Amino acid sequence: MTILNQFEMQHAIPYYECDASGHLTVAMLFRLLILASEQHSDALKVGPAAVKAYGGGWVIINYAGELTALPREGTTITIGTQIAAYNRFFVVRDFWVRAATGEELVRLQGLFAFMDLTKRKMVTIPSALIAPYQLTESRRLPKVPRPLTLEQPDPAWQGQAYRVRFFDIDLNNHVNNAVYFDWLLDPLGSEFLLHHLLVHVKMKYDHEVRAGEQVTSRFVTTPASDRVVTHHQICNSAGLAAEAEFEWVPA
Amino acid sequence: MTILNQFEMQHAIPYYECDASGHLTVAMLFRLLILASEQHSDALKVGPAAVKAYGGGWVIINYAGELTALPREGTTITIGTQIAAYNRFFVVRDFWVRAATGEELVRLQGLFAFMDLTKRKMVTIPSALIAPYQLTESRRLPKVPRPLTLEQPDPAWQGQAYRVRFFDIDLNNHVNNAVYFDWLLDPLGSEFLLHHLLVHVKMKYDHEVRAGEQVTSRFVTTPASDRVVTHHQICNSAGLAAEAEFEWVPA
């Protein structure tokens, strides 16, 4: 049972998955977590191809967790995932990243739902897609903490516009979930990003952004004792598309 | 000798290296070619770390070559490289990509020079960095074809502005060479990009683009018999930063 519900993969980090500081980018970290969950489900024959056969797709609702450090270029990491709990509508997945030394670098949870891709709405999870994990349905799911929604607009918020580009769009014909992290972080600027380490992430997807759209990514900084907290909102013409709350320590 | 001067690596293509059509992106292709050349030089102990010890870096001047097809998500490709010829100032590298079936998908050449990173100017290649390949210096280098420079501006040209983002900047503190391909291709639009296959590339880097800059990527389409040819220019405030000439066939 543990074997079915736990999956680990190794990944060597090439230069092009890193930023100017030589660390894996946050967007790339989330791409790799999704790759691990896809390979996990693939190993149980309920991977992307099986999911597609049901006319549906997994959608991420929110992530939360801790980062001790982001791995560096040229290192090999182990990325792991397991289903922490599920019910008819939701799956909570654990994710972890370990360095070659065994040190745990990242520990996150993600809340996923199942979407009917034709109707573009949430539906019950097909039981055939969850049965191979041989888990018992939970009466109560662990709560994946969500970012605090702050009042907006406030003169202290700063923002930046992003036009959706062709290469932001993935096979599901919407902006890939990882692209949001580039939009969220870029407005903080290189001075901030090169001198702070991200240690805590809360990220929530409110609605999808599609080809041809433009978004605004806004943030506000709230210093809190030894840590800096940044609150972020991504909006398009339909309103709030994503929210995030990041905690940072000096690099 | 052939063994020293030839290097191949395998690469499994994850979903996040592909575009909305499920094919490897052009930018990612060029990232992988550079990764192969770095691993080649690393295997001969003249890789990025050795190059850095000379206070220099390899810079790409131009690429040219043919694409039969871009590989698809989930396939494993072989990426190969060898030095075709070199002299005191330049190295011409061959690159190729093969599918698991053995079919050659890509065949390109790239012209590289050596830059003193402090003086930001071209210098002679340190002989210690080229000796391990055990090749004879060439009197005449093969010519890597360059894109035609067209008169600009012309009312037929269309353009799009791109602000340099934090995640466009690499460890060398300038815009990574691969990012230019996203800037070059994005203005063509999804309708064009999803219905044409790139079969021939000529790309020339004129000068580097750095953090905080904005560029304009312009193109003009010139239908030529059964093939469509697009000419591209990327400009910043200092003038022409890159030029490209792409040939396409209907998908």
Side-chain angles (χ1 to χ4, degrees):
Chain A
M1 197 161 121
T2 310
I3 296 161
L4 293 175
N5 186 32
Q6 207 172 83
F7 180 86
E8 291 197 335
M9 56 176 264
Q10 298 226 304
H11 181 74
I13 301 172
Y15 75 90
Y16 58 76
E17 296 183 354
C18 297
D19 65 18
S21 79
H23 292 89
L24 186 72
T25 69
V26 177
M28 195 52 72
L29 169 67
F30 283 91
R31 288 187 179 102
L32 290 170
L33 301 185
I34 293 299
L35 183 65
S37 73
E38 288 192 357
Q39 293 200 2
H40 183 198
S41 56
D42 246 349
L44 298 178
K45 307 210 183 305
V46 288
V51 169
K52 207 176 166 189
Y54 279 90
W58 293 106
V59 290
I60 174 74
I61 296 172
N62 64 311
Y63 288 115
E66 310 282 340
L67 289 79
T68 311
L70 280 162
R72 290 190 72 91
E73 186 203 342
T75 62
T76 295
I77 54 174
T78 300
I79 305 159
T81 183
Q82 67 185 9
I83 293 185
Y86 82 97
N87 65 19
R88 284 177 63 213
F89 287 106
F90 299 103
V91 167
V92 176
R93 259 191 190 275
D94 293 325
F95 295 102
W96 57 91
V97 175
R98 279 200 314 277
T101 56
E103 187 199 1
E104 190 171 279
L105 303 176
V106 175
R107 170 67 62 173
L108 285 154
Q109 282 193 321
L111 176 71
F112 293 83
F114 198 80
M115 188 191 242
D116 181 314
L117 289 180
T118 313
K119 297 180 189 153
R120 299 312 273 195
K121 63 169 207 159
M122 236 177 73
V123 291
T124 55
I125 300 167
S127 57
L129 295 182
I130 202 88
Y133 295 94
Q134 296 187 9
L135 298 168
T136 308
E137 190 176 326
S138 297
R139 294 195 56 174
R140 200 149 176 275
L141 294 182
K143 198 171 154 55
V144 182
R146 298 183 172 199
L148 197 65
T149 302
L150 294 187
E151 281 295 325
Q152 247 266 88
D154 174 306
W157 288 71
Q158 298 175 58
Q160 184 73 51
Y162 295 89
R163 192 178 49 79
V164 174
R165 300 177 180 177
F166 178 74
F167 296 103
D168 297 330
I169 302 294
D170 68 16
L171 278 163
N172 295 323
N173 206 35
H174 62 192
V175 172
N176 186 270
N177 293 325
V179 171
Y180 291 74
F181 286 95
D182 286 347
W183 289 344
L184 288 167
L185 296 172
D186 178 59
L188 292 170
S190 62
E191 189 57 30
F192 182 90
L193 292 168
L194 292 174
H195 296 100
H196 290 83
L197 299 175
L198 181 59
V199 292
H200 195 96
V201 170
K202 288 178 199 157
M203 166 69 171
K204 180 170 169 277
Y205 295 91
D206 294 295
H207 64 250
E208 61 184 1
V209 177
R210 314 199 64 176
E213 293 192 55
Q214 175 156 318
V215 300
T216 302
S217 173
R218 298 192 192 92
F219 74 95
V220 71
T221 306
T222 55
S225 68
D226 58 330
R227 296 194 165 191
V228 176
V229 177
T230 55
H231 288 89
H232 301 256
Q233 298 186 347
I234 293 176
C235 301
N236 65 359
S237 57
L240 212 52
E243 294 162 277
E245 189 180 326
F246 298 140
E247 268 183 55
W248 308 81
V249 293
Chain B
M1 197 163 118
T2 311
I3 295 161
L4 293 176
N5 185 31
Q6 207 172 84
F7 180 85
E8 291 197 337
M9 58 176 261
Q10 297 226 303
H11 181 73
I13 300 170
Y15 75 90
Y16 58 75
E17 296 183 355
C18 297
D19 66 17
S21 79
H23 292 88
L24 186 72
T25 69
V26 176
M28 195 52 71
L29 169 68
F30 283 91
R31 289 187 179 102
L32 290 170
L33 301 185
I34 294 300
L35 182 65
S37 73
E38 288 191 358
Q39 294 201 358
H40 183 199
S41 57
D42 246 349
L44 298 177
K45 309 210 183 301
V46 288
V51 169
K52 207 177 166 188
Y54 279 89
W58 292 107
V59 290
I60 174 74
I61 296 171
N62 65 311
Y63 287 116
E66 310 282 340
L67 289 78
T68 311
L70 281 163
R72 290 190 72 91
E73 186 204 341
T75 62
T76 296
I77 54 174
T78 299
I79 306 160
T81 183
Q82 67 185 8
I83 293 184
Y86 81 96
N87 65 20
R88 283 177 64 216
F89 288 105
F90 300 104
V91 167
V92 176
R93 259 192 189 275
D94 294 324
F95 294 102
W96 57 91
V97 175
R98 279 199 316 275
T101 56
E103 187 199 0
E104 189 169 280
L105 303 177
V106 174
R107 171 67 62 171
L108 285 153
Q109 282 193 321
L111 177 70
F112 294 82
F114 198 79
M115 188 191 245
D116 181 313
L117 289 180
T118 312
K119 297 181 190 153
R120 299 309 275 194
K121 64 168 208 160
M122 236 176 72
V123 293
T124 56
I125 299 168
S127 57
L129 295 181
I130 200 86
Y133 296 94
Q134 296 188 9
L135 298 168
T136 309
E137 188 176 328
S138 297
R139 295 195 55 172
R140 197 148 179 275
L141 294 182
K143 197 172 155 55
V144 182
R146 298 185 172 198
L148 196 66
T149 301
L150 293 187
E151 281 296 326
Q152 244 268 82
D154 175 305
W157 288 71
Q158 299 173 59
Q160 183 76 50
Y162 295 88
R163 190 178 51 79
V164 174
R165 300 177 181 178
F166 177 73
F167 296 103
D168 297 331
I169 302 295
D170 68 17
L171 278 163
N172 294 322
N173 206 34
H174 63 193
V175 172
N176 185 269
N177 292 325
V179 171
Y180 292 73
F181 286 96
D182 286 347
W183 290 343
L184 288 166
L185 297 172
D186 178 59
L188 292 169
S190 62
E191 189 57 29
F192 183 90
L193 292 168
L194 293 174
H195 296 101
H196 289 84
L197 299 175
L198 181 60
V199 292
H200 195 96
V201 170
K202 289 179 199 157
M203 166 69 172
K204 180 170 169 278
Y205 295 90
D206 293 295
H207 65 251
E208 60 183 0
V209 177
R210 314 200 63 176
E213 292 194 56
Q214 175 157 318
V215 301
T216 303
S217 173
R218 297 193 193 91
F219 74 95
V220 69
T221 306
T222 55
S225 68
D226 58 332
R227 298 196 164 190
V228 176
V229 178
T230 56
H231 288 89
H232 302 256
Q233 297 186 349
I234 292 176
C235 298
N236 64 1
S237 57
L240 212 51
E243 295 163 277
E245 190 179 324
F246 298 139
E247 267 183 55
W248 308 81
V249 294

